[in-house]
Amino acid sequence: MMRLGSRKGTSLVEGIMFIPLVILLLLGMMEFGRITYTYYQLQKIMYALARAAGTQQNINLCNAGDENLARAIAIARTGTGETGAEPVVLGLQASDFRIRIERYDPTTDSLTDCDCSSTGCDTSQGGSSPDFVLVDLSNGYPVTLRIPFIAQDPIILRPAVRLPFGGT
C-alpha cells in the first residue's frame, strides 16, 4: 500500500539545493585567505623597506634617485638587490612605493612631514635626520576577487609601516 506524500527523494533535492551554498562559502574562504596572505606579504615588504631605509648609512631620503634608496627598494620588492628580478608580489613596481620622512613636534604632540631643505631633514644639505620613516604604497595594491559569475571592483590594500629612523 502506498502512502500519500511519500518523502523519497526529498533529501536529494535538499542536498542539491545546499551544494551551491557550500561551494560559494568555500570559494569565499579561499579568496579571503588569498587576500589576507597578499596583505601580509605587502606588510612584510613595507617593513623590510622601512627598516632598510631607516638603518642605511649615507642614505638620502630626500633624493628619489639615491643609489642606496634604489637598492633598498629593490631588496624589499624582489628579495634580492637586482632591480630587474621578479617581484615577491606580482605587479609591484619600484614606483609604487612612497617613502615619507617625519619629525616629531613636541609642541603639538604629533608627527609632521619633514621638508627636504637645509633647515629640514635633507642631511646632504646640512639638515638634521628625521625621526621616523613611513613607507606605504602611493595608490595601494588592487586585488580582484576571483569568484565565478560575480563581478565587482577590486579591493585596494593599503599597508603602511612607520619605523624610527636610525641611519645617518
Side-chain angles (χ1 to χ4, degrees):
M1 179 177 224
M2 286 183 65
R3 291 185 290 172
L4 292 176
S6 176
R7 298 190 59 122
K8 278 188 173 181
T10 56
S11 60
L12 179 66
V13 171
E14 289 173 358
I16 290 173
M17 290 172 50
F18 187 66
I19 287 174
L21 179 63
V22 170
I23 290 173
L24 188 62
L25 284 172
L26 286 174
L27 286 174
M29 287 188 321
M30 287 176 16
E31 287 301 300
F32 181 74
R34 185 177 66 87
I35 289 171
T36 303
Y37 178 76
T38 303
Y39 184 83
Y40 176 70
Q41 286 293 103
L42 289 170
Q43 190 75 16
K44 283 176 53 177
I45 290 170
M46 298 297 121
Y47 180 80
L49 179 55
R51 186 167 186 260
T55 59
Q56 186 81 29
Q57 299 298 315
N58 301 321
I59 192 167
N60 186 357
L61 296 172
C62 289
N63 180 7
D66 185 51
E67 182 181 314
N68 292 330
L69 184 58
R71 187 172 37 252
I73 290 173
I75 289 171
R77 185 178 146 268
T78 64
T80 66
E82 301 173 17
T83 56
E86 287 292 318
V88 175
V89 176
L90 293 177
L92 194 60
Q93 301 297 320
S95 60
D96 294 339
F97 294 102
R98 180 173 54 182
I99 300 172
R100 294 187 338 198
I101 48 179
E102 298 175 332
R103 182 164 285 149
Y104 176 72
D105 185 6
T107 58
T108 61
D109 196 31
S110 64
L111 293 174
T112 57
D113 286 343
C114 194
D115 62 329
C116 289
S117 67
S118 59
T119 59
C121 293
D122 193 353
T123 55
S124 66
Q125 295 182 13
S128 59
S129 297
D131 294 328
F132 292 93
V133 175
L134 175 69
V135 177
D136 62 355
L137 296 173
S138 54
N139 296 321
Y141 184 80
V143 176
T144 304
L145 294 176
R146 295 181 291 194
I147 298 177
F149 311 114
I150 299 176
Q152 63 265 348
D153 293 332
I155 297 170
I156 307 296
L157 302 178
R158 298 189 186 278
V161 172
R162 177 180 288 122
L163 290 177
F165 184 78
T168 57

